[in-house]
Amino acid sequence: MPTYTAPTRDAKFILNEVLDLASYGNLPGFESATPDLIDTVIDESGKFAAEVLQPLNQVGDREGCTRNADGSVTTPPGFKAAFDQYVEAGWSTLAAPSEYGGQGMPHVLGFVLEEFVSSANHSFGMYPGLTNGAVSAILVVGSEEQKALYAPKMIANQWLGTMNLTEPQCGTDLGLIRTRAEPQADGSYKITGTKIFISAGEHDLAENIIHLVLAKTPGAPDSSKGISLFIVPKFLVDTDGSLGERNAVQCGSLEHKMGIHGNSTCVMNYDGATGYLLGEEMKGLAAMFIMMNAARLGVGIQGLSQAEVAYQNAVAYARDRRQGRALTGPAEPGEKADTIMVHPDVRRMLMDAKAFTEAMRALYLWGGLLVDLTHNAETEEERADADALLGLLTPVIKGYGTDKGFDVAVNMQQVFGGHGYIAEWGMEQFVRDARIAQIYEGTNGVQAMDLCGRKLASKGGAAIQAFFKLVDDEVAAAKGDLAPLGEALGKAVSEQKAATMWFMQNAMANPNNLGAGAHQYMHIMGVVCLGLMWLRMAKASTAALAQGSGDEAFYRAKLTTARYFFERFGPDAGALRRKIEAGAEAVMALDEDAFLTAA
């Protein structure tokens, strides 16, 4: 049976010693986020995830969701009771705005909760996670009446939310959607169409589900410019917040999936359902991206979360499993065999996992801090700078984070050998669950094109230049024992700069050069971002050791892992740059028929 222990010590280290949240105490939301309170939230959320949610993870995978004859959906055994505990404990309100019933804590602290919940039970975490994104969209573009009517109960998780984009004929190209919205005399709309792959589209956890649905109004352009966004409740909501009659929206079927079986992924049928315009007509795509960007950060966290839980179980197995002898001679002569921890190739896989998970945790938490600064930094300039940097990091956190997260899950399964392929050990579930994170909320190819096609060029390249300056400044400040790490990071960012320049010189004449290298560029930036995190963590660890802060083993392990990262991950930047500079010619040269297998 797999196990999970929330990495509370590491989360505290990043928040308190690396990001130094206490230094932001003058900003809204941070006033009460003292180190003691942060530690309490981390400890209690980790305990809840490990004790309540993790035991249901294999149950959800094995039992799945059930669609009933009336179109309702029953979640796996134990999910409803666990969700009730989640709501009662107030976890859903942690980082939500206080004016709508939230606790008003920093978003970065809410991100810690997301990781712990997702590691313990990925499928469960998707139910409240999607609601957070829906609330974000309503609070940004909704009317005051819509905010007052929907936000408090969604924040309290009395009602949950969804995002309805995809249709059978379109996924990424949303301009192809066919769902129609017919205006009514009372100002509402009748929504008709079919949506697929709708996570948490129907379930028994909450009394109402608030669907955010993309549709086109009559006469709208038959392209992405004609899309509008609508609020379509499962049960209609009266002006006083009470529930009215059942709306004309139903789960037509449940998708049969590779993983995340505990989450109800639905085909949703809208048959003249009553909906309400959210934001401006034909501005739905921009409104939906508010939710999408929040979701993409959440998916990046999911990539880490499956890597983390897989890593924990692989470490436990490697410390117990005895096979063969150490290459340097028996490590335990009194035993018939040594544990597999003595084998360099097993150590390689475990060190790769450790180097990734700890740096990725620091990266997504830095992203969470940027979310807070985007809203609450002291000046407009600081808020704009944080927003631009966050926009640049989001596709990296989602794309690189889930690519490498899946790789780690696969390698941790490999540590188990044949046992990793057997369901009772749980490793194959981690692999299956991790796979979706590379696909939904925009495939990782879409993330790479967003980074290279939009974010690099945005405002004349201001964001990427600001990122390069930030890295260069931290490299220059790395002195003494930190100097070799700074030098290694400097080499990696030089490769990224060269790749950026190559795009500038070659993508305009042939856009396929950009498309053919976008994936590798996203990974170069991933290496640089994680390297920056390791430099920061090494700096904090060195300071702690110098101050005699205690927990010496923890800090020395950080320094060793930082050195491993730059030795083993850093050189990848050069290889990735050379792939980019190979261009698109060979990628695009073959005729389509050449891809067919000859008989």
Side-chain angles (χ1 to χ4, degrees):
M1 288 289 291
T3 61
Y4 172 66
T5 301
T8 56
R9 176 67 180 92
D10 205 44
K12 293 173 187 177
F13 166 70
I14 296 167
L15 293 184
N16 293 327
E17 300 178 61
V18 179
L19 296 178
D20 188 18
L21 289 196
S23 66
Y24 298 93
N26 61 312
L27 301 181
F30 288 87
E31 310 97 326
S32 57
T34 63
D36 285 345
L37 181 60
I38 289 170
D39 289 356
T40 298
V41 170
I42 290 173
D43 286 338
E44 291 303 313
S45 61
K47 181 179 178 181
F48 178 84
E51 295 181 1
V52 178
L53 301 183
Q54 191 278 333
L56 298 174
N57 194 40
Q58 282 194 306
V59 174
D61 185 61
R62 182 174 61 250
E63 302 293 334
C65 296
T66 303
R67 181 185 180 277
N68 304 307
D70 62 356
S72 64
V73 171
T74 303
T75 52
F79 270 48
K80 180 65 169 71
F83 183 75
D84 290 344
Q85 288 181 256
Y86 179 89
V87 172
E88 184 178 356
W91 291 120
S92 67
T93 68
L94 183 65
S98 56
E99 58 265 41
Y100 296 102
Q103 298 179 50
M105 298 293 286
H107 286 86
V108 66
L109 196 53
F111 277 21
V112 176
L113 171 67
E114 284 194 45
E115 181 201 333
F116 293 173
V117 169
S118 184
S119 279
N121 195 320
H122 184 157
S123 295
F124 181 96
M126 293 171 65
Y127 291 103
L130 286 163
T131 304
N132 294 337
V135 169
S136 296
I138 291 171
L139 291 182
V140 172
V141 301
S143 67
E144 292 304 316
E145 292 77 13
Q146 288 172 332
K147 294 176 190 178
L149 189 61
Y150 296 104
K153 291 190 177 181
M154 294 177 74
I155 286 170
N157 278 190
Q158 187 176 343
W159 301 345
L160 294 183
T162 71
M163 176 167 51
N164 282 235
L165 289 76
T166 309
E167 298 181 9
Q169 78 286 350
C170 71
T172 301
D173 190 353
L174 291 169
L176 300 175
I177 67 170
R178 296 173 185 162
T179 299
R180 312 305 301 178
E182 298 288 340
Q184 304 299 299
D186 64 357
S188 67
Y189 290 77
K190 292 298 182 183
I191 312 297
T192 301
T194 296
K195 299 288 185 177
I196 63 171
F197 307 158
I198 308 306
S199 301
E202 172 62 25
H203 54 76
D204 58 355
L205 299 184
E207 66 180 21
N208 203 6
I209 303 173
I210 309 302
H211 302 288
L212 298 194
V213 183
L214 290 182
K216 292 179 179 176
T217 52
D222 192 20
S223 68
S224 61
K225 295 181 179 179
I227 296 173
S228 299
L229 182 61
F230 299 87
I231 295 174
V232 186
K234 173 182 174 180
F235 289 98
L236 297 177
V237 182
D238 293 332
T239 55
D240 63 356
S242 62
L243 299 185
E245 64 183 17
R246 183 75 155 81
N247 208 351
V249 52
Q250 188 177 66
C251 170
S253 64
L254 290 173
E255 305 283 9
H256 298 278
K257 303 167 294 184
M258 175 179 177
I260 55 169
H261 295 156
N263 194 267
S264 54
T265 308
C266 302
V267 174
M268 299 300 296
N269 296 323
Y270 293 84
D271 187 14
T274 298
Y276 307 94
L277 184 66
L278 180 60
E280 298 180 46
E281 187 176 357
M282 292 186 285
K283 297 290 181 66
L285 202 57
M288 182 58 79
F289 267 104
I290 297 167
M291 184 174 182
M292 180 75 80
N293 286 331
R296 285 174 174 173
L297 290 170
V299 173
I301 295 172
Q302 291 173 355
L304 164 64
S305 71
Q306 295 308 293
E308 171 65 32
V309 68
Y311 166 71
Q312 289 186 17
N313 282 274
V315 169
Y317 184 82
R319 287 166 58 90
D320 183 68
R321 177 71 166 173
R322 293 185 179 276
Q323 295 284 287
R325 289 297 192 185
L327 297 178
T328 54
E332 297 181 72
E335 299 286 346
K336 292 183 177 180
D338 294 327
T339 68
I340 62 174
M341 282 292 287
V342 304
H343 301 307
D345 193 58
V346 172
R347 286 284 189 130
R348 172 190 62 83
M349 290 187 285
L350 295 177
M351 284 299 295
D352 279 357
K354 184 176 178 65
F356 167 75
T357 54
E358 294 181 14
M360 190 64 202
R361 179 170 299 111
L363 180 60
Y364 88 69
L365 288 174
W366 182 35
L369 176 59
L370 290 172
V371 172
D372 288 307
L373 295 179
T374 294
H375 295 291
N376 297 317
E378 287 187 316
T379 68
E380 178 59 36
E381 182 181 5
E382 289 173 315
R383 292 191 290 272
D385 288 347
D387 187 57
L389 185 54
L390 179 64
L392 192 68
L393 292 178
T394 295
V396 178
I397 291 172
K398 195 282 186 186
Y400 180 78
T402 60
D403 277 350
K404 298 300 288 186
F406 178 74
D407 289 347
V408 167
V410 170
N411 279 335
M412 297 305 94
Q413 182 187 35
Q414 186 76 12
V415 170
F416 279 70
H419 291 293
Y421 205 68
I422 304 302
E424 69 179 278
W425 290 91
M427 301 305 290
E428 55 86 34
Q429 183 190 345
F430 299 144
V431 171
R432 287 186 288 106
D433 286 353
R435 187 66 182 89
I436 186 58
Q438 296 171 284
I439 298 172
Y440 61 10
E441 309 305 348
T443 65
N444 285 358
V446 170
Q447 304 306 312
M449 285 303 296
D450 177 46
L451 173 63
C452 298
R454 294 187 180 92
K455 302 298 173 56
L456 290 185
S458 178
K459 297 182 179 179
I464 191 63
Q465 292 305 319
F467 175 77
F468 287 152
K469 183 179 186 308
L470 184 155
V471 176
D472 287 344
D473 288 348
E474 298 202 29
V475 166
K479 306 295 184 182
D481 292 341
L482 298 176
L485 305 183
E487 181 182 351
L489 177 56
K491 290 179 180 178
V493 77
S494 293
E495 301 287 7
Q496 186 186 354
K497 290 175 183 177
T500 308
M501 183 60 69
W502 191 89
F503 276 156
M504 291 175 63
Q505 296 170 341
N506 294 277
M508 289 291 289
N510 182 2
N512 281 337
N513 281 328
L514 184 101
H519 171 82
Q520 284 79 20
Y521 187 91
M522 180 176 71
H523 276 241
I524 287 182
M525 188 162 177
V527 170
V528 172
C529 285
L530 294 200
L532 179 62
M533 297 303 102
W534 273 117
L535 182 58
R536 290 177 175 178
M537 289 189 288
K539 180 181 178 182
S541 297
T542 299
L545 288 169
Q547 295 164 8
S549 301
D551 208 354
E552 182 176 345
F554 175 86
Y555 295 116
R556 294 207 177 280
K558 286 289 181 188
L559 294 174
T560 299
T561 310
R563 178 163 55 88
Y564 179 90
F565 176 86
F566 285 112
E567 290 175 354
R568 295 294 183 128
F569 285 64
D572 291 345
L576 290 164
R577 176 183 62 80
R578 288 189 287 275
K579 288 184 179 183
I580 291 170
E581 293 176 354
E585 196 282 325
V587 174
M588 306 302 293
L590 289 181
D591 183 271
E592 286 185 16
D593 289 344
F595 288 92
L596 300 174
T597 302

